[in-house]
């Protein structure tokens, strides 16, 4: 006997075109179609917002699927299950009867199940003489087979949207972090730019970021933040490139200075001379006999111990520490920032710091430290100045003072030995011939004066 399935719900429940469309799709399913019911349920769970299902409705759908003994659903299978409300409540984690009825209606409205109501609204199955089910009244799970591909596509779309939303949030987070820290760097380093405008623009965009928003809104805000990020980043990169260019030019100029074999005059005279004390540096060339290597930090500190008082913690271990102490010394000496910046551009930051340390060491003999530094900068630009002779002059003065006071060269020899200008003799340390000549000495120091 041919089965007859009702198409309208029992009692006062109304019929809708959506229910009819679901039944039409269930009838049109390919008889050879086979799906894994739990795989389809997973797709339905991932796409529940697009489908319109609630979490409670999915709990009931999970219970309904568990009442069917087969895992693989076929297009020609009888997929009607008929559990009682008590059985559904038990498998749906004990929800109330009213909640059960409400969310069963949601499953029907979403087209996940079809009602096959009996004449009296009860759920049951009628078996034939052979024990097979001839007629069943309850919930038809045929849409699980008929709409399996649709549910899979919806799940993929939802997953892609979720990934896009996550990426939009990550873009916003990264841009916000970078912009805040780059603006702080620009303000701290006093880089010339309108940082207050950048800060106001950032605050305006950040103030429009909602707690929860659709991806399109977040994408638009992320685009605004990225445009601001690019502008701030470009400002910093332009400044850094200009500084690197100046440093490279200064480094190149120093190489030219160090390679001059025919300079007109001898090494720069002592810093205590009256002409230099007034800030009017003589137009001489002090780069005649320069070492081919960089000036060791130990020699600088041995020649200029006064700079240690300006260092943080009273210690200078690296060139960076010396440059930080020189920045403090520049302010203490009354040298303008522009004069020091010009010296850094022409000499390089390390040699400018050495010049500041030397000026600090002999500050009582220099009436205008700022004018003196500008004069040194002008000579360095013309290739007529290097910090090597300046430090050697300070060391020579220290050696002369130590010799007169009977203390020998012990305090200066450690730094000079680092530069390769002190030699070891049988009786102790002695100044090498090269250093004697570079310091203008006409006689050797007797061996044993350590």
């Amino acid at each position: 006997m041919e089965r007859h399935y009702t198409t309208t719900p029992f009692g006062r429940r109304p019929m809708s075109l959506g229910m009819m469309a679901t039944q039409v799709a269930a009838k049109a399913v390919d008889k050879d179609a086979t799906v894994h019911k739990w795989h389809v349920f997973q797709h339905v769970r991932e796409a529940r917002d697009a489908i319109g299902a609630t979490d409670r409705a999915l709990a009931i759908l999970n219970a309904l699927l568990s009442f069917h003994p087969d895992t693989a659903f076929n297009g020609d299978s009888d997929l009607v299950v008929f559990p009682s409300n008590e059985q559904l409540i038990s498998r749906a984690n004990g929800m109330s009867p009213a909640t059960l009825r409400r969310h069963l209606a949601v499953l029907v409205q979403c087209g996940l199940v079809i009602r096959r109501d009996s004449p009296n609204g009860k759920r049951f199955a009628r078996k034939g003489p052979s024990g097979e089910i001839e007629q069943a009244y309850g919930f038809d799970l045929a849409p699980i087979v008929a709409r399996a591909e649709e549910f899979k596509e919806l799940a993929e779309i939802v997953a892609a949207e979720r990934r896009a939303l996550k990426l939009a949030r990550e873009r916003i987070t990264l841009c916000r972090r970078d912009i805040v820290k780059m603006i702080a760097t620009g303000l701290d380093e006093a880089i010339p730019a309108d940082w207050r405008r950048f800060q106001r623009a950032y605050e305006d965009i950040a103030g429009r970021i909602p707690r929860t928003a659709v991806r399109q809104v977040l994408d638009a805000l992320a685009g605004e933040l990225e445009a601001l990020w690019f502008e701030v980043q470009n400002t910093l990169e332009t400044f850094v490139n200009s500084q690197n260019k100046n440093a490279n030019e200064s480094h190149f100029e120093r190489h030219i200075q160090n390679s001059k074999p025919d300079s007109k005059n001898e090494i720069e005279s002592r810093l205590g001379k009256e002409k230099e004390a007034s800030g009017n540096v003589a137009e001489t060339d002090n780069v005649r006999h320069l070492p081919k290597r960089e000036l060791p930090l130990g020699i600088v500190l041995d020649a200029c111990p006064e700079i240690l008082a300006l260092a943080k913690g009273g210690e200078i271990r690296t060139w960076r520490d010396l440059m930080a102490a020189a920045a403090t010394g520049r302010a203490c000496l009354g040298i303008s920032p522009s004069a020091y910046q010009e010296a850094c551009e022409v000499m390089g930051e390390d040699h400018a710091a050495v010049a500041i340390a030397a000026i600090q060491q002999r500050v009582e003999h220099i009436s205008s430290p700022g004018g003196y530094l500008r004069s040194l900068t002008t000579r360095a630009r013309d290739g007529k100045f290097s910090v090597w002779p300046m430090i050697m002059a300070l060391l020579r003065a220290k050696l002369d003072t130590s010799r007169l006071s009977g203390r020998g060269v012990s305090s200066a020899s450690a730094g000079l030995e680092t530069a390769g200008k002190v030699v070891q003799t049988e009786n102790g340390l002695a100044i090498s011939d090269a250093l004697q000549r570079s310091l203008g000495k006409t006689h050797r120091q007797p061996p044993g004066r350590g």
Side-chain angles (χ1 to χ4, degrees):
M1 182 178 69
E2 184 179 355
R3 297 178 182 179
H4 174 73
Y5 289 112
T6 56
T7 57
T8 58
F10 171 78
R12 298 180 179 179
R13 302 187 189 99
M15 182 65 180
S16 67
L17 290 179
M19 295 179 186
M20 183 62 68
T22 302
Q23 294 179 20
V24 171
K27 289 180 180 179
V29 67
D30 187 0
K31 301 302 180 182
D32 297 329
T34 301
V35 298
H36 193 295
K37 65 179 182 181
W38 297 120
H39 292 173
V40 179
F41 177 74
Q42 179 65 24
H43 296 154
V44 172
R45 185 168 60 181
E46 293 175 356
R48 63 180 180 275
D49 292 334
I51 296 172
T54 61
D55 54 347
R56 295 294 185 89
L58 292 182
I60 296 171
L61 178 60
N62 180 78
L64 289 174
L65 290 173
S66 68
F67 281 106
H68 198 285
D70 296 336
T71 299
F73 284 1
N74 299 318
D76 59 348
S77 301
D78 187 359
L79 301 178
V80 178
V81 293
F82 39 89
S84 65
N85 283 354
E86 289 75 11
Q87 291 173 319
L88 276 175
I89 289 173
S90 176
R91 295 198 185 184
N93 303 321
M95 66 178 61
S96 66
T99 303
L100 176 68
R101 289 191 294 270
R102 185 168 62 254
H103 291 287
L104 278 172
V106 172
L107 288 178
V108 175
Q109 292 171 2
C110 293
L112 294 171
V113 297
I114 300 173
R115 285 185 179 274
R116 301 296 186 186
D117 289 344
S118 65
N120 60 1
K122 301 294 183 181
R123 301 182 205 122
F124 62 90
R126 182 179 295 111
K127 296 181 180 180
S130 60
E132 296 180 356
I133 295 178
E134 291 183 347
Q135 185 74 42
Y137 298 101
F139 296 101
D140 192 351
L141 302 176
I144 297 297
V145 181
R147 302 179 63 188
E149 288 299 323
E150 177 188 350
F151 294 148
K152 183 178 180 181
E153 292 177 1
L154 285 175
E156 292 175 351
I157 292 174
V158 169
E161 185 69 18
R162 187 182 299 114
R163 286 194 297 270
L165 180 63
K166 182 179 180 181
L167 290 176
R169 292 190 181 278
E170 288 179 355
R171 288 167 58 197
I172 289 176
T173 300
L174 292 175
C175 284
R176 292 183 67 177
R177 183 182 71 193
D178 289 351
I179 290 172
V180 168
K181 293 191 176 183
M182 287 192 295
I183 290 177
T185 300
L187 291 173
D188 293 343
E189 300 293 337
I191 297 174
D194 192 355
W195 297 107
R196 298 303 177 188
R197 180 181 68 83
F198 291 149
Q199 197 167 22
R200 288 193 298 269
Y202 168 75
E203 290 173 354
D204 175 66
I205 300 173
R208 292 186 280 113
I209 300 176
R211 280 185 175 272
T212 57
V214 296
R215 178 184 56 82
Q216 289 77 7
V217 173
L218 294 180
D219 278 339
L221 293 172
E224 294 183 40
L225 283 172
E226 286 176 345
L228 179 61
W229 174 92
F230 178 80
E231 189 175 359
V232 176
Q233 174 81 1
N234 187 56
T235 301
L236 291 179
E237 285 186 352
T238 301
F239 179 79
V240 170
N241 290 336
S242 66
Q243 294 300 305
N244 289 340
K245 181 179 179 181
N246 291 336
N248 290 338
E249 291 175 353
S250 176
H251 183 69
F252 180 68
E253 289 173 3
R254 290 200 298 273
H255 277 292
I256 295 177
Q257 295 166 8
N258 293 347
S259 62
K260 276 193 172 183
D262 55 348
S263 299
K264 295 180 181 179
N265 301 300
E266 294 298 326
I267 299 173
E268 179 188 46
S269 60
R270 298 173 65 174
L271 294 177
K273 288 189 177 180
E274 290 299 325
K275 195 169 246 185
E276 292 181 354
S278 65
N280 298 323
V281 181
E283 294 297 327
T284 58
D285 185 350
N286 79 331
V287 296
R288 181 177 180 184
H289 300 295
L290 296 181
K292 300 300 182 182
R293 59 181 178 276
E294 292 295 329
L295 185 64
L297 180 60
I299 287 185
V300 176
L301 298 180
D302 199 44
C304 310
E306 294 295 330
I307 196 67
L308 292 172
L310 303 176
K312 185 176 180 180
E315 291 183 345
I316 295 179
R317 298 182 178 179
T318 64
W319 282 100
R320 184 178 295 276
D321 295 340
L322 178 64
M323 287 185 279
T328 304
R330 188 275 308 165
C332 295
L333 292 169
I335 299 173
S336 65
S338 60
Y340 184 57
Q341 178 66 25
E342 184 180 6
C344 291
E345 293 175 355
V346 174
M347 304 180 192
E349 294 184 358
D350 50 352
H351 284 195
V354 173
I356 293 293
I359 295 173
Q360 179 71 27
Q361 187 66 26
R362 302 285 292 181
V363 65
E364 67 274 8
H365 300 287
I366 301 174
S367 60
S368 177
Y372 183 55
L373 180 63
R374 287 190 182 276
S375 298
L376 295 180
T377 302
T378 301
R379 293 176 60 196
R381 183 181 289 109
D382 296 336
K384 297 179 179 180
F385 171 75
S386 173
V387 294
W388 263 103
M390 175 183 284
I391 296 301
M392 291 300 103
L394 286 172
L395 285 174
R396 185 178 66 181
K398 188 174 182 180
L399 288 169
D400 290 345
T401 303
S402 299
R403 184 179 298 108
L404 292 175
S405 61
R407 290 193 297 268
V409 299
S410 58
S411 61
S413 62
L416 291 172
E417 188 174 17
T418 306
K421 297 300 183 179
V422 174
V423 296
Q424 186 73 32
T425 67
E426 295 180 356
N427 298 321
L429 296 174
I431 301 176
S432 66
D433 293 338
L435 181 58
Q436 291 279 12
R437 289 193 300 272
S438 67
L439 296 180
K441 297 294 185 179
T442 59
H443 61 279
R444 274 177 176 263
Q445 180 183 353
R449 294 290 299 275

